[in-house]
Amino acid sequence: MPFVSIRDLRIAFDEVTVLHGIDLDIDPGEAVGLVGESGCGKSVTWLGALGLLPRKARVAGSVTLQGMELIGAPRERMESVRGARIAMIFQDPASSLNPVHRIGRQICESLRLHRGLRGQAARAEAIRLLDMVGIPSANTRIDLYPHEFSGGQCQRIMIAMALAGQPDLLIADEPTTALDATIQAQILDLLADLRCQTGMAMVFISHDLGAVSAVCDRAAVMYAGRIVESGEIGALFRTPRHPYTRGLFDAIPDMQTPRGPLVPIHGTVPDPAHLPAGCAFAPRCGRASDLCREFGPDLKPIPQGGQVACFHPIPLPQRQKAFA
């Protein structure tokens, strides 16, 4: 049984639908990546699942946590889930940490809410969590303010706060976007190590395909509020079948060959209020036909494993066809 199961999740703001029926399962202990351009619905999927969207958002569908429905659940049930069962690391630690409170107080607040720890017991556990995420001299720096830490250290503090409730699932929403390459690598290693130590599942939301491949077992590619392809990391990265997924890989500069022109995906992500008829990617796709411009493909399993939503998926190389 999946730990979290999302079925036909749809989200709209002011009558504009931004999420068009997401289906996704997260098994206990696995790491799943969500990939796609800005505005494709990666973060909104989980904000909607956890009831963190503003009141004007209309959320429909089903999100179950080990069989317990979360969509439309009473406030008390959601408060028992958020932080304790499912924790989320937000994209910008500078705006997530309260600048007028010491970091120790902020971590201890999570420990009090989710685990009932107070006083010296909470302080000792906060120091242990800071040590776990690699904050040096945690026993003295616990009384500092957020501005006294670097960006990478603030991200580590956010991870420590997320771990305070001992969650079964950690949602990491682009946790390395604002960091330089060296610190990004350290945060990715930290997340992988913590997953091994705690056995928690993880959803890693990112634009960075390399980061996703480093920490995830499986990935789902999103475009214009839909999942267009999903599968195991190895197969998805080796032979992407959807033209959009292929375009994401082609746009990555090749550092092993002489410098050449970049290969962009021409066009832009469509406005959710004015989506084209048929497949939303058709106006940018070199394989699109009249069928694509008239009808939207469903996400369906493919014989080689995984799922793809495309009427004209990219063919497998001949050698792989022989073993399919």
Side-chain angles (χ1 to χ4, degrees):
M1 179 182 181
F3 177 68
V4 173
S5 182
I6 298 176
R7 289 291 176 271
D8 196 30
L9 183 63
R10 299 173 181 271
I11 297 175
F13 296 96
D14 298 326
E15 307 305 321
V16 176
T17 302
V18 296
L19 217 61
H20 304 269
I22 297 297
D23 293 335
L24 185 66
D25 289 334
I26 309 296
D27 291 329
E30 79 165 339
V32 177
L34 278 186
V35 182
E37 294 170 272
S38 294
C40 66
K42 305 183 301 296
S43 300
V44 167
T45 297
W46 289 97
L47 292 174
L50 294 174
L52 296 174
L53 292 175
R55 290 185 179 180
K56 68 176 183 178
R58 291 190 291 108
V59 182
S62 173
V63 177
T64 57
L65 170 64
Q66 293 183 321
M68 178 176 63
E69 182 61 59
L70 300 184
I71 299 299
R75 179 179 176 181
E76 293 76 14
R77 182 188 301 174
M78 295 305 299
E79 288 181 349
S80 70
V81 168
R82 292 193 292 248
R85 304 294 307 279
I86 303 176
M88 192 164 184
I89 305 169
F90 296 98
Q91 184 170 346
D92 182 10
S95 62
S96 299
L97 292 169
N98 192 322
V100 301
H101 292 305
R102 303 176 195 272
I103 63 159
R105 175 177 175 178
Q106 297 183 58
I107 299 174
C108 287
E109 181 180 14
S110 293
L111 291 168
R112 176 178 59 81
L113 289 173
H114 301 306
R115 292 166 57 185
L117 296 180
R118 289 176 169 79
Q120 287 302 313
R123 183 180 176 87
E125 178 63 5
I127 293 172
R128 188 189 72 83
L129 289 170
L130 291 173
D131 279 330
M132 180 186 294
V133 299
I135 298 295
S137 305
N139 60 327
T140 58
R141 304 189 75 192
I142 190 174
D143 294 317
L144 299 182
Y145 290 92
H147 73 269
E148 298 178 271
F149 294 87
S150 68
Q153 289 175 330
C154 284
Q155 193 61 275
R156 290 172 184 268
I157 293 167
M158 287 299 302
I159 295 172
M161 290 180 65
L163 295 176
Q166 297 178 324
D168 299 306
L169 172 62
L170 179 66
I171 312 296
D173 187 1
E174 307 209 33
T176 61
T177 297
L179 308 177
D180 62 56
T182 302
I183 303 302
Q184 282 185 25
Q186 293 176 4
I187 296 297
L188 292 177
D189 288 342
L190 172 62
L191 289 172
D193 290 343
L194 291 172
R195 182 181 160 224
C196 290
Q197 292 176 33
T198 62
M200 65 182 176
M202 182 170 67
V203 172
F204 188 82
I205 301 171
S206 181
H207 297 89
D208 190 337
L209 292 166
V212 169
S213 69
V215 298
C216 296
D217 307 314
R218 177 165 65 90
V221 181
M222 294 189 67
Y223 185 80
R226 291 182 172 90
I227 293 177
V228 297
E229 186 170 7
S230 66
E232 300 297 322
I233 283 291
L236 186 66
F237 279 53
R238 196 165 47 246
T239 54
R241 305 296 306 280
H242 197 282
Y244 176 62
T245 311
R246 178 72 268 173
L248 292 177
F249 283 105
D250 289 342
I252 300 174
D254 188 349
M255 308 304 291
Q256 306 302 320
T257 60
R259 182 180 300 175
L262 298 178
V263 184
I265 303 175
H266 296 288
T268 59
V269 178
D271 183 344
H274 302 94
L275 289 177
C279 175
F281 188 61
R284 307 174 70 186
C285 180
R287 301 177 62 83
S289 66
D290 290 340
L291 177 66
C292 306
R293 297 181 185 95
E294 187 173 354
F295 300 100
D298 294 327
L299 188 67
K300 294 184 177 180
I302 51 179
Q304 297 77 27
Q307 298 174 303
V308 66
C310 185
F311 292 125
H312 308 294
I314 297 170
L316 287 172
Q318 291 297 322
R319 181 178 298 178
Q320 287 192 247
K321 283 184 179 180
F323 294 97

